[in-house]
Amino acid sequence: MTHASILLVRHGETAWNRERRVQGWAPSGLTERGEEQARAAGRAIGDGYSVDRLVASDLRRTAETARLLRRAGGIDAEIEFDRDWRERDFGRLQGLTYEELFEGFPEFALGEVGIAAARAVPEGGESLLEMRERVLEAWERVSERADGTTVVVTHGGPIYVLLGHLKGLDLVSAILETDCRNGAITELCPEGDGVEIRRENDVPHSATE
């Protein structure tokens, strides 16, 4: 059986990333820097892997990243969109800065109230626990079919909760202790009943700073 690698790529930078706003499911497009981050990730992947499958969240910023990555990396695989790889839905709180969110709605501050914040549901949105459940289901589908190299273009939140799950961290620690920059690549290799985290939060050197 071919050695399986699953590459998680966080989308490129958006204006709301730069402004530290809660994006949720907003149709945020990439900045010029974000576009170059996507191309840099594509070149890095194209130089080192033969991609058999390309999966992406269907939100605008991930769709744009996937298309740029695919072109830059010379990837033949068509993009398969899967909404379960979306960022957490923050409902009516979407668009607030993180400072506004935590000052006005402290029940969502994981560092202050712990697991209760992971259970809190914003109006019109979903809890962190609900987001984790769908992301782990999406991961199960991808890892079950993994053979060769699969690229998944997704968001920070899904990467945090998935890495936390694989490391055996509780959800609060998974969010607070994990970092993943825009355009970063995380490589996961399923092996038997486990998963090796081969690299994490690896930003291609050719991405603009």
Side-chain angles (χ1 to χ4, degrees):
M1 178 176 165
T2 307
H3 173 74
S5 287
I6 300 171
L7 306 177
L8 305 179
V9 181
R10 187 182 177 199
H11 63 80
E13 180 195 73
T14 69
W16 279 17
N17 284 144
R18 190 175 287 174
E19 297 166 6
R20 288 191 48 75
R21 292 187 182 277
V22 178
Q23 290 189 96
W25 289 5
S28 309
L30 301 182
T31 61
E32 288 186 12
R33 182 185 182 205
E35 291 176 352
E36 179 50 34
Q37 289 168 335
R39 293 188 191 99
R43 290 191 293 268
I45 291 170
D47 286 346
Y49 303 85
S50 176
V51 176
D52 302 284
R53 191 177 176 208
L54 176 56
V55 179
S57 154
D58 63 344
L59 294 177
R60 178 179 172 185
R61 56 194 183 272
T62 36
E64 289 182 0
T65 299
R67 292 185 182 107
L68 290 166
L69 178 154
R70 179 175 182 265
R71 193 175 306 124
I75 296 169
D76 292 329
E78 296 295 327
I79 303 170
E80 304 170 38
F81 291 106
D82 184 346
R83 62 184 289 123
D84 281 348
W85 284 106
R86 285 184 174 196
E87 184 57 275
R88 178 184 178 182
D89 182 2
F90 258 93
R92 294 189 64 181
L93 301 182
Q94 183 176 285
L96 296 178
T97 65
Y98 283 98
E99 290 75 15
E100 291 168 341
L101 172 67
F102 297 138
E103 286 178 10
F105 305 89
E107 64 270 26
F108 295 102
L110 281 168
E112 299 297 325
V113 299
I115 193 63
R119 298 190 185 102
V121 181
E123 184 179 348
E126 65 184 338
S127 70
L128 261 176
L129 289 170
E130 290 169 330
M131 186 265 275
R132 181 179 66 173
E133 183 177 349
R134 64 171 164 79
V135 168
L136 293 183
E137 289 174 356
W139 165 252
E140 195 70 24
R141 292 195 298 273
V142 164
S143 58
E144 283 178 351
R145 286 184 53 189
D147 191 12
T149 300
T150 300
V151 174
V152 178
V153 182
T154 184
H155 309 261
I159 293 173
Y160 301 158
V161 299
L162 176 55
L163 285 175
H165 170 74
L166 296 176
K167 293 175 181 178
L169 299 176
D170 63 81
L171 186 52
V172 174
S173 299
I175 298 294
L176 298 181
E177 298 175 15
T178 306
D179 188 24
C180 187
R181 294 165 62 191
N182 291 111
I185 300 169
T186 294
E187 182 173 6
L188 307 175
C189 298
E191 295 185 346
D193 294 331
V195 178
E196 176 190 358
I197 302 173
R198 185 155 292 178
R199 56 176 165 150
E200 182 178 339
N201 192 27
D202 184 6
V203 178
H205 72 276
S206 56
T208 54
E209 292 299 326

